[in-house]
Amino acid sequence: MAQAKYKTAPVPTEKMPSGIPYIVGNEAAERFSFYGMRGILVVFMTQFMLNASGKPDHMQNEQAIAYFHQFVAAVYFFPLLGSILSDVFWGKYKTILILSVVYCLGHLALAIDETRVGLFIGLSLIAIGAGGIKPCVSAHVGDQFGNKNHHLLSKVFGWFYLAINLGAFVASIMIPKVLEYYGPHYAFGIPGILMLLATILFWLGRNQFVHIPASGWEKFRTETFGKEGLQALLNLSVLYYVFLPIFWSLFDQTGSSWVLQGVNMNQDLMTPWGNIKLGAAEVQAFNPLFILILIPTFSYVIYPLIDKVFPLTPLRKISIGFFLAAASFAITALIQIRIDSSAGNPPSILWQALPYFVLTAGEVMVSITCLEFSYTQAPKSMKSFIMSLYFLSMTAGNLMTAEVNKFIMIDENTSRLEGASYFWFFSGLMFVAAVLFVFVARFYKGKTYIQDDDAETALAEEEGIQ
């Protein structure tokens, strides 16, 4: 029998897998590329976009918000394609590598063409590439672990999320300035270079990774539509398609409605070194900055303290995160009231740090928990597929935001949800969903699957999940 070219099963060790640094480094560079590009999209569409003749071709705010959320929705739809390519045909490593090249080409299209055609081509390729690799990368992290070291999985998903936000933080500070001073070619080109570096780094780790082979169509079909697969899908579907879309509908507005709110705030800051300007797009850096602070704070301080009061299970973490998201939009509504009544003296943009802090705390409790929860609740041959269904909840959330913004427009200049009422609407929606989730979570029953478990000996987790 021919020897496998790469490791195809986790190494039986209690230590950290050797491929993890390559995955974490790849994720930091890839997230720089994505959030650098994403962070300037609304500003580009409303202030910089040109037509084929080189003349301004700017979008209205509501139109830009709708386009932005349609793009983000597409990014989180294509994980479905990536998961099938991964689980059925190519395996995770090959899928990630090939779609990363598509991703790079999308950045190239944005960098060389400032028109709507360039925007469409570039965002389409990025949606396929970025979306296609997402479930594979998350599942690829979990594949590196076996029974002896699976206790390190939570720690690594924390590192993974830190890498995401380190890349996002640097990009959120840097790329809006590049757009302002050097224009779209450089502002979109630099993220493209980082994506190329991310692809190269991932390729360099190929001999360190565990390469779980694709299961093939028959095994994928049997397991997905068998008793355990259908049970896993049924267990997770209410979380994914009723509650999480509302959370993501709020969260991803940090790149749209929150940016446009910041445009109408005082962006000049007094410092000991003189006046500086903090642009509306740059404020998005608050989110990854707070992530870097809050992940260790929650892991080593907040979670242990809550555990002393009541057991902090995954679904309880998610529930608390939902309430925090609702609170963040209530704060944003109060800020909008202050803006609307400012009479030419708007509040400082630094006030947005408060809702960012609250929403980021909610993100820590919802997003990181869901990444690990989705992986462990998925049977072995459908890890990427289950991850893709999780990401589809983000598609649903962003489509909801896009449709709300289309519906509320009476004409180009008039909205049914003017000013603070827009933010109150989403805050109220999230609060109602959070209350309902508290009751629904009580009935969840599940099972945990690790790659080197036999299906029949998978760890039962019916208690300790709720």
Side-chain angles (χ1 to χ4, degrees), residues 402-428:
E403 290 306 311
V404 167
N405 274 273
K406 288 180 181 178
F407 175 76
I408 64 177
M409 291 305 299
I410 298 172
D411 55 47
E412 288 190 0
N413 301 307
T414 311
S415 171
R416 293 182 176 88
L417 290 175
E418 294 282 1
S421 61
Y422 178 89
F423 298 109
W424 285 124
F425 168 79
F426 283 100
S427 177

Side-chain angles (χ1 to χ4, degrees), residues 142-329:
D143 285 351
Q144 308 308 303
F145 293 84
N147 266 326
K148 290 189 175 182
N149 60 356
H150 84 272
H151 62 283
L152 298 173
L153 195 56
S154 294
K155 180 181 291 186
V156 169
F157 272 115
W159 290 356
F160 188 70
Y161 218 76
L162 280 171
I164 290 173
N165 287 279
L166 180 62
F169 173 70
V170 176
S172 298
I173 292 293
M174 177 181 174
I175 299 304
K177 289 296 185 187
V178 174
L179 178 65
E180 181 180 355
Y181 292 111
Y182 299 100
H185 294 307
Y186 288 97
F188 287 125
I190 292 173
I193 293 172
L194 265 292
M195 186 58 222
L196 179 61
L197 292 176
T199 305
I200 293 171
L201 183 61
F202 186 75
W203 175 79
L204 290 174
R206 65 196 183 282
N207 293 317
Q208 304 299 322
F209 298 146
V210 174
H211 297 243
I212 301 297
S215 62
W217 175 251
E218 186 59 31
K219 184 177 180 181
F220 175 80
R221 182 187 63 81
T222 301
E223 189 161 291
T224 301
F225 298 103
K227 180 180 178 181
E228 290 196 341
L230 290 175
Q231 186 63 54
L233 293 173
L234 180 63
N235 288 343
L236 293 168
S237 60
V238 175
L239 171 63
Y240 285 175
Y241 303 120
V242 177
F243 297 101
L244 279 177
I246 300 174
F247 175 81
W248 294 119
S249 176
L250 273 66
F251 179 81
D252 281 323
Q253 290 192 57
T254 57
S256 57
S257 64
W258 286 24
V259 172
L260 293 172
Q261 182 187 71
V263 170
N264 295 313
M265 300 178 76
N266 183 2
Q267 300 175 19
D268 295 320
L269 307 180
M270 295 287 294
T271 74
W273 306 277
N275 288 353
I276 62 172
K277 181 179 180 181
L278 183 62
E282 296 163 55
V283 174
Q284 293 174 84
F286 280 136
N287 173 249
L289 174 62
F290 289 147
I291 281 285
L292 297 174
I293 297 169
L294 289 176
I295 285 179
T297 302
F298 271 72
S299 296
Y300 297 108
V301 180
I302 304 298
Y303 289 158
L305 287 176
I306 296 176
D307 261 326
K308 291 180 180 179
V309 180
F310 57 83
L312 189 59
T313 60
L315 295 184
R316 286 175 180 169
K317 288 182 184 179
I318 295 169
S319 179
I320 296 170
F322 286 166
F323 281 107
L324 289 170
S328 73
F329 262 65

